[in-house]
Amino acid sequence: MAIREQLIEYREGSTVLEGFFCHDDGRAAPLPAVLISHTWSGRDAFVEDKARRLAWHGFAAFALDMFGKGKRGNTTEECTALITPFMKDRALLARRITAALTAVRGLSQVDARRVAAMGYCFGGLCVLDLARSGADVRGVASVHGLLKPSGLPATRIRSKVLMLHGYDDPMAPPEDVLAVAKEMSAGGADWQLHAYGNTVHAFTNPHATDRSSGMAYDAAADRRSWQSLLQFLDEVLR
Amino acid sequence: MAIREQLIEYREGSTVLEGFFCHDDGRAAPLPAVLISHTWSGRDAFVEDKARRLAWHGFAAFALDMFGKGKRGNTTEECTALITPFMKDRALLARRITAALTAVRGLSQVDARRVAAMGYCFGGLCVLDLARSGADVRGVASVHGLLKPSGLPATRIRSKVLMLHGYDDPMAPPEDVLAVAKEMSAGGADWQLHAYGNTVHAFTNPHATDRSSGMAYDAAADRRSWQSLLQFLDEVLR
């Protein structure tokens, strides 16, 4: 068993993107694959760590890139600037994440029929939009994701959907939960939402420490959401 | 490994009750224990089956009795008559389920410090009321339970709480979900709610087949809720 890591360039239109791909090359390929969609900071160590964990678990994991090769945000201002074009143009967002799906399907180590996607915060929104686009992926999982509907024309949702949600997340208040539940049901999705009480945004991020700003790590929610995520991925990909 | 089953009489006030107790007597006692609270039909084969499954999993399981020895309902009218006194008098409900907790703690095979409770439908309400009473149980899990607050004075909730919920359950509509979330947070509970989309009441009951009445079995929700339940019990009892 050896985890192999690679950077992989791919494109959406004229934009060059760079994903982080890893898998256990001791396992017989092709492997079921999981796309991992990053937060507003860009494709960083946080999602690369998740990719390694999924590789140990037996999946091919691809930490995708929404922003462009090497683009990362370090301050709130930089991060806001990076996500703004996508928040304003959800069709662009959908094209960009679909490019990652196409890229991962083209890899020889990947079983193109068994692909799922997960994402954190802004990345949670991205994978929900992938499902909303009607993409043929087995499942999508949003972890403390933004839940706001895209406003794009409704499509039949073919992916199973799991939303792992801090109930006191100021970026996804109860009215957004009610709205997304309605939207997912109307789209015919097989959906689940796990809400964690007394839990705010960014509960899987150990560097989030400011509960008053609505962003704080929570060890129990981190552990429970990871368990639920693996269970979901095993259900949809094995 | 041999599962041992026993009927156990106990009392609440002058009412004689009869629980179904089972455990694996090949495992070293005392064992962590799980109370199982029945639906409005009374302590029937459905909860006894769950008790056996938990015994195989390594817990001592006690399918408790809310109604009185031998009392079971066979029709909607009979079942309604059986639960009505408890729905009208939630203090009676709390005393009745607390009697089961006391009984199971007195059993030599049980580790009195490691007790949790789970329940279905009306039984879900019962275990939530046990938590609401401030009882010192490690965790309570409601499966397609009624969620309505008890109206009794608020208490600090010491149990971890898991609610497994069909999002389209007509007996627990979105406004009840919002209300119970508020109540649990105010009580300081470590709570979670897993909502299953396009899923109605009684989703674990293979005999529930009338979706139009809002009661229908759902294989995916049954399987997912059982997984989440075992994970929760392992978390709180091991």
Side-chain angles (χ1 to χ4, degrees):
Chain A
M1 185 178 230
I3 303 300
R4 185 154 173 245
E5 306 182 359
Q6 296 168 257
L7 293 175
I8 291 183
E9 267 190 20
Y10 64 106
R11 278 166 194 271
E12 182 271 305
S14 59
T15 307
V16 179
L17 304 151
E18 187 181 63
F20 171 90
F21 180 63
C22 68
H23 72 289
D24 175 359
D25 68 8
R27 295 186 191 240
L31 296 167
V34 182
L35 296 172
I36 308 170
S37 194
H38 54 72
T39 71
W40 70 349
S41 299
R43 206 213 72 224
D44 58 6
F46 181 80
V47 280
E48 292 176 8
D49 173 61
K50 305 297 182 198
R52 284 187 198 97
R53 288 206 228 168
L54 291 180
W56 281 108
H57 191 71
F59 298 126
F62 187 79
L64 62 82
D65 177 11
M66 291 295 288
F67 297 154
K69 186 173 175 176
K71 285 201 184 169
R72 286 181 190 79
N74 292 305
T75 63
T76 299
E77 291 68 30
E78 286 173 11
C79 294
T80 303
L82 285 167
I83 64 169
T84 298
F86 299 98
M87 298 307 286
K88 284 189 175 157
D89 183 353
R90 299 279 281 269
L92 168 66
L93 191 163
R95 286 198 305 278
R96 192 58 63 86
I97 192 163
T98 301
L101 177 60
T102 305
V104 83
R105 284 203 160 124
L107 299 175
S108 61
Q109 302 91 339
V110 166
D111 178 350
R113 291 161 311 161
R114 288 188 294 159
V115 180
M118 57 186 263
Y120 294 85
C121 179
F122 166 70
L125 183 77
C126 295
V127 301
L128 290 178
D129 275 11
L130 185 65
R132 286 166 174 137
S133 77
D136 184 19
V137 289
R138 295 273 188 100
V140 308
S142 157
V143 188
H144 45 77
L146 310 179
L147 301 176
K148 289 219 181 297
S150 65
L152 297 177
T155 321
R156 193 172 70 80
I157 295 170
R158 296 195 278 181
S159 315
K160 294 183 182 183
V161 175
L162 174 66
M163 295 171 276
L164 302 165
H165 171 65
Y167 193 76
D168 300 308
D169 187 336
M171 297 176 203
E175 58 267 28
D176 287 9
V177 173
L178 296 177
V180 81
K182 203 169 165 184
E183 180 202 16
M184 291 288 151
S185 292
D190 172 342
W191 67 269
Q192 303 172 65
L193 183 138
H194 296 189
Y196 305 113
N198 294 306
T199 303
V200 292
H201 192 67
F203 57 78
T204 65
N205 181 355
H207 302 298
T209 52
D210 185 8
R211 204 181 149 94
S212 67
S213 75
M215 296 176 67
Y217 181 69
D218 185 287
D222 184 23
R223 187 183 66 246
R224 291 167 181 167
S225 62
W226 184 253
Q227 280 184 329
S228 293
L229 193 60
L230 287 186
Q231 222 157 54
F232 176 75
L233 293 173
D234 284 338
E235 178 188 324
V236 302
L237 291 178
R238 302 280 189 188
Chain B
M1 187 178 228
I3 302 300
R4 187 156 170 244
E5 306 183 358
Q6 294 169 258
L7 293 174
I8 291 183
E9 267 191 20
Y10 63 106
R11 277 167 195 271
E12 183 270 307
S14 58
T15 307
V16 178
L17 303 151
E18 188 181 61
F20 172 89
F21 180 64
C22 68
H23 72 290
D24 175 0
D25 67 6
R27 295 186 191 240
L31 296 167
V34 182
L35 296 172
I36 307 170
S37 194
H38 54 72
T39 70
W40 69 349
S41 298
R43 206 215 71 224
D44 57 7
F46 180 80
V47 280
E48 292 177 6
D49 173 61
K50 304 297 182 198
R52 283 185 199 99
R53 289 206 228 170
L54 292 180
W56 281 108
H57 192 72
F59 298 127
F62 187 78
L64 60 81
D65 176 12
M66 290 296 288
F67 296 155
K69 185 173 174 172
K71 285 200 183 168
R72 287 181 190 81
N74 292 306
T75 63
T76 299
E77 292 68 30
E78 287 173 9
C79 294
T80 304
L82 285 168
I83 65 168
T84 298
F86 299 98
M87 297 307 285
K88 284 189 174 156
D89 183 352
R90 300 279 282 267
L92 168 65
L93 190 163
R95 287 198 305 278
R96 191 60 61 87
I97 192 164
T98 301
L101 177 61
T102 306
V104 82
R105 283 201 160 125
L107 299 174
S108 61
Q109 301 91 339
V110 167
D111 178 349
R113 293 160 311 159
R114 288 188 294 160
V115 180
M118 58 186 264
Y120 294 85
C121 178
F122 166 69
L125 184 77
C126 294
V127 301
L128 290 178
D129 275 12
L130 185 65
R132 287 168 173 134
S133 77
D136 184 18
V137 289
R138 295 274 188 98
V140 307
S142 157
V143 188
H144 45 78
L146 310 179
L147 302 175
K148 290 220 179 297
S150 65
L152 298 176
T155 321
R156 193 172 71 79
I157 294 170
R158 297 195 277 181
S159 313
K160 293 183 182 181
V161 174
L162 174 66
M163 294 170 277
L164 302 165
H165 171 65
Y167 193 76
D168 300 308
D169 187 336
M171 297 174 202
E175 58 266 29
D176 287 8
V177 172
L178 296 176
V180 80
K182 203 168 166 185
E183 180 203 17
M184 290 289 152
S185 292
D190 173 341
W191 67 269
Q192 302 171 67
L193 184 138
H194 296 189
Y196 305 112
N198 294 309
T199 303
V200 293
H201 192 67
F203 58 76
T204 65
N205 181 355
H207 301 298
T209 52
D210 184 9
R211 205 183 147 95
S212 67
S213 75
M215 297 177 65
Y217 181 69
D218 185 287
D222 185 22
R223 188 183 65 246
R224 291 166 181 168
S225 63
W226 185 253
Q227 281 184 328
S228 293
L229 193 60
L230 287 186
Q231 221 157 53
F232 177 76
L233 294 173
D234 285 339
E235 178 188 323
V236 302
L237 291 179
R238 302 280 189 189

